[in-house]
Amino acid sequence: MYKPSLTVSLFMFCLSAPTHAFDEVAEVTTKVLTSSSQSWDGKELPPYPAGQPEIRIIRLTIPAGVELPVHNHPVINAGVLLSGELTVITENGDRLQLQAGDGLIEVVGTWHYGINEGDEPAEIIVFYAGAESIPTTVIK
C-alpha cells in the first residue's frame, strides 16, 4: 500500500494552507502588497545588521513638486504609498513609478532620490528593519 512521504505530505499541506494566518477568520481579507528577497531594482537584499534589532516605522509626506535629496538606506526597508504618486530614481538611472496603494521593497546601499511629480502630496509609510545606532537614511 502506498504511503505518502513526509515531503509530499508537507507539500500538499502548503498547497492547501492559507497564505496568511488571518485568512480563515470570517470577514477578514488579506492582500500581499509585495514580498521578495530582492529590492525593486532586482538586487538581493543584504543580511540584517548585527546588534540589537530596531524597527522604525515612519509616515513621510512629500508635497507636490518636491524632490528629495540623493540618499541611501544602510538597512532593509519597505513601504506602502498611501496617496499621491512618487518616482524613485537611482544614480544609474533605474526608475520606479509608484501610485497610491503600491508597495515597494526599497534599494539598500544604493544612492537614489524620490520626486513627487504629481499634483497632490505623496504619503508613504516606510518600515525600516535595522539595528540600534545604525541610521535608516544617509544624505549624500
Side-chain angles (χ1 to χ4, degrees):
M1 181 165 156
Y2 174 75
K3 289 186 176 181
S5 69
L6 178 59
T7 302
V8 171
S9 297
L10 287 174
F11 177 72
M12 295 308 292
F13 171 76
C14 289
L15 288 178
S16 64
T19 58
H20 190 277
F22 294 136
D23 284 347
E24 292 184 358
V25 177
E27 299 180 16
V28 173
T29 61
T30 62
K31 179 182 178 185
V32 175
L33 298 178
T34 187
S35 176
S36 180
S37 59
Q38 299 176 338
S39 57
W40 65 262
D41 66 348
K43 293 183 180 153
E44 291 292 318
L45 292 172
Y48 290 108
Q52 175 61 45
E54 180 180 78
I55 301 295
R56 184 173 298 170
I57 303 171
I58 67 164
R59 176 184 221 132
L60 183 65
T61 302
I62 306 164
V66 168
E67 181 176 310
L68 298 173
V70 175
H71 61 279
N72 77 43
H73 306 287
V75 299
I76 294 172
N77 67 97
V80 177
L81 188 65
L82 301 176
S83 63
E85 61 184 70
L86 186 63
T87 303
V88 183
I89 306 165
T90 64
E91 277 195 324
N92 67 2
D94 291 333
R95 296 175 67 91
L96 176 68
Q97 181 68 44
L98 298 167
Q99 302 295 322
D102 289 345
L104 87 147
I105 300 171
E106 184 63 286
V107 292
V108 180
T110 299
W111 295 108
H112 65 284
Y113 65 96
I115 184 168
N116 180 352
E117 299 172 311
D119 297 328
E120 63 180 84
E123 282 194 298
I124 187 167
I125 298 283
V126 183
F127 305 80
Y128 296 91
E132 287 181 345
S133 77
I134 297 177
T136 58
T137 303
V138 176
I139 305 289
K140 188 169 187 181

